Amino acid sequence: MLAAAQMGLNLKNDDRAANRAEFSTGISLTSWGQTVETGWEVLPEGKIKVNVKSTSVYCLELASKSKNRNNVVEFVNALNSLLPQK
């Protein structure tokens, strides 16, 4: 949740029982917005595996591939900044 807040994402759905959350970016001049879906699971060795997926709200956007890639990279970077480094 903190990583999404750092990116300015809006919470759409939070299902902690299923270890999932969904966020949206909002509409801009060049985009109808993206949906960022996250899921996580605790691995046997105590590590946490996080899956991040970004998709465009309107599938015909020309710049959607780069925006979605940037959303995933930015989310992972935000997570890394919040987690303790070893």
PDB file of all heavy atoms in Angstrom, residues 32-57:
ATOM      1  N   TRP A  32      -6.159   6.918 -20.966  1.00  0.00           N
ATOM      2  CA  TRP A  32      -7.397   6.673 -20.231  1.00  0.00           C
ATOM      3  C   TRP A  32      -7.094   6.045 -18.873  1.00  0.00           C
ATOM      4  O   TRP A  32      -7.990   5.732 -18.110  1.00  0.00           O
ATOM      5  CB  TRP A  32      -8.313   5.748 -21.025  1.00  0.00           C
ATOM      6  CG  TRP A  32      -8.957   6.441 -22.164  1.00  0.00           C
ATOM      7  CD1 TRP A  32      -8.554   6.410 -23.476  1.00  0.00           C
ATOM      8  CD2 TRP A  32     -10.101   7.293 -22.114  1.00  0.00           C
ATOM      9  NE1 TRP A  32      -9.386   7.192 -24.233  1.00  0.00           N
ATOM     10  CE2 TRP A  32     -10.355   7.752 -23.421  1.00  0.00           C
ATOM     11  CE3 TRP A  32     -10.939   7.709 -21.089  1.00  0.00           C
ATOM     12  CZ2 TRP A  32     -11.409   8.597 -23.726  1.00  0.00           C
ATOM     13  CZ3 TRP A  32     -11.989   8.553 -21.389  1.00  0.00           C
ATOM     14  CH2 TRP A  32     -12.210   8.997 -22.695  1.00  0.00           C
ATOM     15  N   GLY A  33      -5.815   5.848 -18.578  1.00  0.00           N
ATOM     16  CA  GLY A  33      -5.398   5.304 -17.293  1.00  0.00           C
ATOM     17  C   GLY A  33      -4.985   3.852 -17.377  1.00  0.00           C
ATOM     18  O   GLY A  33      -5.216   3.172 -18.375  1.00  0.00           O
ATOM     19  N   GLN A  34      -4.343   3.400 -16.324  1.00  0.00           N
ATOM     20  CA  GLN A  34      -3.905   2.013 -16.225  1.00  0.00           C
ATOM     21  C   GLN A  34      -4.386   1.428 -14.899  1.00  0.00           C
ATOM     22  O   GLN A  34      -4.631   2.145 -13.946  1.00  0.00           O
ATOM     23  CB  GLN A  34      -2.371   1.900 -16.272  1.00  0.00           C
ATOM     24  CG  GLN A  34      -1.738   2.254 -17.585  1.00  0.00           C
ATOM     25  CD  GLN A  34      -1.488   3.730 -17.713  1.00  0.00           C
ATOM     26  OE1 GLN A  34      -1.199   4.401 -16.740  1.00  0.00           O
ATOM     27  NE2 GLN A  34      -1.628   4.254 -18.916  1.00  0.00           N
ATOM     28  N   THR A  35      -4.497   0.107 -14.903  1.00  0.00           N
ATOM     29  CA  THR A  35      -4.796  -0.642 -13.693  1.00  0.00           C
ATOM     30  C   THR A  35      -3.539  -1.411 -13.312  1.00  0.00           C
ATOM     31  O   THR A  35      -2.943  -2.088 -14.143  1.00  0.00           O
ATOM     32  CB  THR A  35      -5.951  -1.631 -13.938  1.00  0.00           C
ATOM     33  OG1 THR A  35      -7.118  -0.882 -14.295  1.00  0.00           O
ATOM     34  CG2 THR A  35      -6.242  -2.461 -12.708  1.00  0.00           C
ATOM     35  N   VAL A  36      -3.118  -1.285 -12.067  1.00  0.00           N
ATOM     36  CA  VAL A  36      -1.944  -1.988 -11.561  1.00  0.00           C
ATOM     37  C   VAL A  36      -2.440  -3.027 -10.559  1.00  0.00           C
ATOM     38  O   VAL A  36      -3.035  -2.681  -9.538  1.00  0.00           O
ATOM     39  CB  VAL A  36      -0.939  -1.024 -10.903  1.00  0.00           C
ATOM     40  CG1 VAL A  36       0.264  -1.788 -10.361  1.00  0.00           C
ATOM     41  CG2 VAL A  36      -0.503   0.055 -11.894  1.00  0.00           C
ATOM     42  N   GLU A  37      -2.223  -4.293 -10.887  1.00  0.00           N
ATOM     43  CA  GLU A  37      -2.643  -5.393 -10.021  1.00  0.00           C
ATOM     44  C   GLU A  37      -1.425  -5.966  -9.313  1.00  0.00           C
ATOM     45  O   GLU A  37      -0.375  -6.156  -9.931  1.00  0.00           O
ATOM     46  CB  GLU A  37      -3.297  -6.496 -10.850  1.00  0.00           C
ATOM     47  CG  GLU A  37      -4.527  -6.049 -11.603  1.00  0.00           C
ATOM     48  CD  GLU A  37      -5.053  -7.134 -12.531  1.00  0.00           C
ATOM     49  OE1 GLU A  37      -4.859  -8.324 -12.234  1.00  0.00           O
ATOM     50  OE2 GLU A  37      -5.635  -6.757 -13.553  1.00  0.00           O
ATOM     51  N   THR A  38      -1.563  -6.227  -8.022  1.00  0.00           N
ATOM     52  CA  THR A  38      -0.481  -6.828  -7.255  1.00  0.00           C
ATOM     53  C   THR A  38      -0.993  -8.070  -6.532  1.00  0.00           C
ATOM     54  O   THR A  38      -2.154  -8.142  -6.146  1.00  0.00           O
ATOM     55  CB  THR A  38       0.083  -5.841  -6.213  1.00  0.00           C
ATOM     56  OG1 THR A  38      -0.945  -5.507  -5.282  1.00  0.00           O
ATOM     57  CG2 THR A  38       0.617  -4.589  -6.870  1.00  0.00           C
ATOM     58  N   GLY A  39      -0.114  -9.003  -6.373  1.00  0.00           N
ATOM     59  CA  GLY A  39      -0.405 -10.212  -5.611  1.00  0.00           C
ATOM     60  C   GLY A  39       0.866 -10.633  -4.893  1.00  0.00           C
ATOM     61  O   GLY A  39       1.966 -10.366  -5.368  1.00  0.00           O
ATOM     62  N   TRP A  40       0.737 -11.245  -3.748  1.00  0.00           N
ATOM     63  CA  TRP A  40       1.920 -11.652  -3.005  1.00  0.00           C
ATOM     64  C   TRP A  40       1.667 -12.966  -2.300  1.00  0.00           C
ATOM     65  O   TRP A  40       0.532 -13.345  -2.043  1.00  0.00           O
ATOM     66  CB  TRP A  40       2.335 -10.566  -2.025  1.00  0.00           C
ATOM     67  CG  TRP A  40       1.287 -10.198  -1.029  1.00  0.00           C
ATOM     68  CD1 TRP A  40       1.105 -10.736   0.208  1.00  0.00           C
ATOM     69  CD2 TRP A  40       0.237  -9.238  -1.189  1.00  0.00           C
ATOM     70  NE1 TRP A  40       0.019 -10.165   0.827  1.00  0.00           N
ATOM     71  CE2 TRP A  40      -0.528  -9.236  -0.012  1.00  0.00           C
ATOM     72  CE3 TRP A  40      -0.131  -8.377  -2.229  1.00  0.00           C
ATOM     73  CZ2 TRP A  40      -1.630  -8.409   0.158  1.00  0.00           C
ATOM     74  CZ3 TRP A  40      -1.227  -7.557  -2.048  1.00  0.00           C
ATOM     75  CH2 TRP A  40      -1.956  -7.580  -0.868  1.00  0.00           C
ATOM     76  N   GLU A  41       2.773 -13.659  -2.030  1.00  0.00           N
ATOM     77  CA  GLU A  41       2.692 -14.918  -1.279  1.00  0.00           C
ATOM     78  C   GLU A  41       3.961 -15.078  -0.475  1.00  0.00           C
ATOM     79  O   GLU A  41       5.030 -14.609  -0.872  1.00  0.00           O
ATOM     80  CB  GLU A  41       2.493 -16.106  -2.219  1.00  0.00           C
ATOM     81  CG  GLU A  41       3.637 -16.349  -3.182  1.00  0.00           C
ATOM     82  CD  GLU A  41       3.399 -17.528  -4.101  1.00  0.00           C
ATOM     83  OE1 GLU A  41       3.413 -18.677  -3.607  1.00  0.00           O
ATOM     84  OE2 GLU A  41       3.212 -17.294  -5.301  1.00  0.00           O
ATOM     85  N   VAL A  42       3.843 -15.722   0.670  1.00  0.00           N
ATOM     86  CA  VAL A  42       4.990 -15.994   1.522  1.00  0.00           C
ATOM     87  C   VAL A  42       5.561 -17.343   1.107  1.00  0.00           C
ATOM     88  O   VAL A  42       4.851 -18.355   1.084  1.00  0.00           O
ATOM     89  CB  VAL A  42       4.595 -16.000   3.018  1.00  0.00           C
ATOM     90  CG1 VAL A  42       5.801 -16.326   3.884  1.00  0.00           C
ATOM     91  CG2 VAL A  42       3.980 -14.673   3.410  1.00  0.00           C
ATOM     92  N   LEU A  43       6.841 -17.342   0.760  1.00  0.00           N
ATOM     93  CA  LEU A  43       7.527 -18.567   0.347  1.00  0.00           C
ATOM     94  C   LEU A  43       7.990 -19.344   1.579  1.00  0.00           C
ATOM     95  O   LEU A  43       8.092 -18.779   2.675  1.00  0.00           O
ATOM     96  CB  LEU A  43       8.711 -18.209  -0.547  1.00  0.00           C
ATOM     97  CG  LEU A  43       8.349 -17.454  -1.828  1.00  0.00           C
ATOM     98  CD1 LEU A  43       9.616 -17.066  -2.591  1.00  0.00           C
ATOM     99  CD2 LEU A  43       7.429 -18.276  -2.709  1.00  0.00           C
ATOM    100  N   PRO A  44       8.281 -20.646   1.425  1.00  0.00           N
ATOM    101  CA  PRO A  44       8.667 -21.472   2.575  1.00  0.00           C
ATOM    102  C   PRO A  44       9.854 -20.935   3.369  1.00  0.00           C
ATOM    103  O   PRO A  44       9.911 -21.084   4.580  1.00  0.00           O
ATOM    104  CB  PRO A  44       9.007 -22.823   1.948  1.00  0.00           C
ATOM    105  CG  PRO A  44       8.243 -22.855   0.673  1.00  0.00           C
ATOM    106  CD  PRO A  44       8.177 -21.435   0.197  1.00  0.00           C
ATOM    107  N   GLU A  45      10.807 -20.276   2.699  1.00  0.00           N
ATOM    108  CA  GLU A  45      11.975 -19.775   3.417  1.00  0.00           C
ATOM    109  C   GLU A  45      11.730 -18.426   4.088  1.00  0.00           C
ATOM    110  O   GLU A  45      12.642 -17.790   4.586  1.00  0.00           O
ATOM    111  CB  GLU A  45      13.198 -19.694   2.488  1.00  0.00           C
ATOM    112  CG  GLU A  45      13.030 -18.796   1.293  1.00  0.00           C
ATOM    113  CD  GLU A  45      12.477 -19.493   0.056  1.00  0.00           C
ATOM    114  OE1 GLU A  45      11.981 -20.625   0.143  1.00  0.00           O
ATOM    115  OE2 GLU A  45      12.532 -18.867  -1.003  1.00  0.00           O
ATOM    116  N   GLY A  46      10.466 -17.972   4.088  1.00  0.00           N
ATOM    117  CA  GLY A  46      10.101 -16.736   4.756  1.00  0.00           C
ATOM    118  C   GLY A  46      10.166 -15.496   3.874  1.00  0.00           C
ATOM    119  O   GLY A  46       9.829 -14.408   4.310  1.00  0.00           O
ATOM    120  N   LYS A  47      10.602 -15.648   2.636  1.00  0.00           N
ATOM    121  CA  LYS A  47      10.642 -14.512   1.714  1.00  0.00           C
ATOM    122  C   LYS A  47       9.242 -14.268   1.161  1.00  0.00           C
ATOM    123  O   LYS A  47       8.388 -15.140   1.210  1.00  0.00           O
ATOM    124  CB  LYS A  47      11.603 -14.792   0.566  1.00  0.00           C
ATOM    125  CG  LYS A  47      13.039 -14.906   1.007  1.00  0.00           C
ATOM    126  CD  LYS A  47      13.947 -15.168  -0.165  1.00  0.00           C
ATOM    127  CE  LYS A  47      15.386 -15.299   0.289  1.00  0.00           C
ATOM    128  NZ  LYS A  47      16.284 -15.536  -0.839  1.00  0.00           N
ATOM    129  N   ILE A  48       9.033 -13.085   0.643  1.00  0.00           N
ATOM    130  CA  ILE A  48       7.738 -12.744   0.051  1.00  0.00           C
ATOM    131  C   ILE A  48       7.915 -12.547  -1.441  1.00  0.00           C
ATOM    132  O   ILE A  48       8.773 -11.773  -1.878  1.00  0.00           O
ATOM    133  CB  ILE A  48       7.148 -11.472   0.692  1.00  0.00           C
ATOM    134  CG1 ILE A  48       6.905 -11.713   2.180  1.00  0.00           C
ATOM    135  CG2 ILE A  48       5.872 -11.058  -0.013  1.00  0.00           C
ATOM    136  CD1 ILE A  48       6.448 -10.498   2.930  1.00  0.00           C
ATOM    137  N   LYS A  49       7.107 -13.240  -2.215  1.00  0.00           N
ATOM    138  CA  LYS A  49       7.109 -13.114  -3.676  1.00  0.00           C
ATOM    139  C   LYS A  49       5.984 -12.158  -4.053  1.00  0.00           C
ATOM    140  O   LYS A  49       4.841 -12.329  -3.628  1.00  0.00           O
ATOM    141  CB  LYS A  49       6.874 -14.480  -4.317  1.00  0.00           C
ATOM    142  CG  LYS A  49       6.776 -14.429  -5.827  1.00  0.00           C
ATOM    143  CD  LYS A  49       6.486 -15.809  -6.377  1.00  0.00           C
ATOM    144  CE  LYS A  49       6.245 -15.760  -7.865  1.00  0.00           C
ATOM    145  NZ  LYS A  49       5.902 -17.083  -8.400  1.00  0.00           N
ATOM    146  N   VAL A  50       6.309 -11.127  -4.833  1.00  0.00           N
ATOM    147  CA  VAL A  50       5.327 -10.126  -5.250  1.00  0.00           C
ATOM    148  C   VAL A  50       5.200 -10.166  -6.768  1.00  0.00           C
ATOM    149  O   VAL A  50       6.194 -10.149  -7.488  1.00  0.00           O
ATOM    150  CB  VAL A  50       5.755  -8.713  -4.797  1.00  0.00           C
ATOM    151  CG1 VAL A  50       4.750  -7.675  -5.265  1.00  0.00           C
ATOM    152  CG2 VAL A  50       5.921  -8.661  -3.291  1.00  0.00           C
ATOM    153  N   ASN A  51       3.962 -10.227  -7.250  1.00  0.00           N
ATOM    154  CA  ASN A  51       3.679 -10.147  -8.680  1.00  0.00           C
ATOM    155  C   ASN A  51       3.014  -8.807  -8.947  1.00  0.00           C
ATOM    156  O   ASN A  51       2.103  -8.407  -8.219  1.00  0.00           O
ATOM    157  CB  ASN A  51       2.735 -11.269  -9.118  1.00  0.00           C
ATOM    158  CG  ASN A  51       3.359 -12.634  -8.951  1.00  0.00           C
ATOM    159  OD1 ASN A  51       4.468 -12.873  -9.365  1.00  0.00           O
ATOM    160  ND2 ASN A  51       2.635 -13.518  -8.303  1.00  0.00           N
ATOM    161  N   VAL A  52       3.474  -8.116  -9.996  1.00  0.00           N
ATOM    162  CA  VAL A  52       2.919  -6.815 -10.370  1.00  0.00           C
ATOM    163  C   VAL A  52       2.573  -6.863 -11.852  1.00  0.00           C
ATOM    164  O   VAL A  52       3.394  -7.269 -12.668  1.00  0.00           O
ATOM    165  CB  VAL A  52       3.928  -5.677 -10.100  1.00  0.00           C
ATOM    166  CG1 VAL A  52       3.316  -4.326 -10.446  1.00  0.00           C
ATOM    167  CG2 VAL A  52       4.415  -5.702  -8.669  1.00  0.00           C
ATOM    168  N   LYS A  53       1.365  -6.432 -12.172  1.00  0.00           N
ATOM    169  CA  LYS A  53       0.903  -6.414 -13.567  1.00  0.00           C
ATOM    170  C   LYS A  53       0.206  -5.080 -13.815  1.00  0.00           C
ATOM    171  O   LYS A  53      -0.612  -4.644 -13.012  1.00  0.00           O
ATOM    172  CB  LYS A  53      -0.068  -7.567 -13.803  1.00  0.00           C
ATOM    173  CG  LYS A  53      -0.680  -7.602 -15.175  1.00  0.00           C
ATOM    174  CD  LYS A  53      -1.685  -8.740 -15.272  1.00  0.00           C
ATOM    175  CE  LYS A  53      -2.444  -8.710 -16.569  1.00  0.00           C
ATOM    176  NZ  LYS A  53      -3.472  -9.756 -16.618  1.00  0.00           N
ATOM    177  N   SER A  54       0.537  -4.443 -14.926  1.00  0.00           N
ATOM    178  CA  SER A  54      -0.092  -3.181 -15.287  1.00  0.00           C
ATOM    179  C   SER A  54      -0.739  -3.333 -16.659  1.00  0.00           C
ATOM    180  O   SER A  54      -0.105  -3.811 -17.600  1.00  0.00           O
ATOM    181  CB  SER A  54       0.955  -2.060 -15.317  1.00  0.00           C
ATOM    182  OG  SER A  54       0.366  -0.835 -15.704  1.00  0.00           O
ATOM    183  N   THR A  55      -1.999  -2.928 -16.767  1.00  0.00           N
ATOM    184  CA  THR A  55      -2.712  -2.982 -18.034  1.00  0.00           C
ATOM    185  C   THR A  55      -3.429  -1.659 -18.266  1.00  0.00           C
ATOM    186  O   THR A  55      -3.804  -0.968 -17.327  1.00  0.00           O
ATOM    187  CB  THR A  55      -3.757  -4.120 -18.060  1.00  0.00           C
ATOM    188  OG1 THR A  55      -4.639  -3.959 -16.944  1.00  0.00           O
ATOM    189  CG2 THR A  55      -3.104  -5.484 -17.982  1.00  0.00           C
ATOM    190  N   SER A  56      -3.618  -1.327 -19.535  1.00  0.00           N
ATOM    191  CA  SER A  56      -4.310  -0.095 -19.885  1.00  0.00           C
ATOM    192  C   SER A  56      -5.812  -0.292 -19.790  1.00  0.00           C
ATOM    193  O   SER A  56      -6.332  -1.361 -20.103  1.00  0.00           O
ATOM    194  CB  SER A  56      -3.942   0.325 -21.300  1.00  0.00           C
ATOM    195  OG  SER A  56      -2.577   0.643 -21.357  1.00  0.00           O
ATOM    196  N   VAL A  57      -6.497   0.754 -19.354  1.00  0.00           N
ATOM    197  CA  VAL A  57      -7.952   0.710 -19.277  1.00  0.00           C
ATOM    198  C   VAL A  57      -8.537   0.618 -20.688  1.00  0.00           C
ATOM    199  O   VAL A  57      -9.451  -0.139 -20.949  1.00  0.00           O
ATOM    200  CB  VAL A  57      -8.491   1.949 -18.533  1.00  0.00           C
ATOM    201  CG1 VAL A  57     -10.001   2.025 -18.610  1.00  0.00           C
ATOM    202  CG2 VAL A  57      -8.032   1.923 -17.083  1.00  0.00           C
TER     203      VAL A  57
END
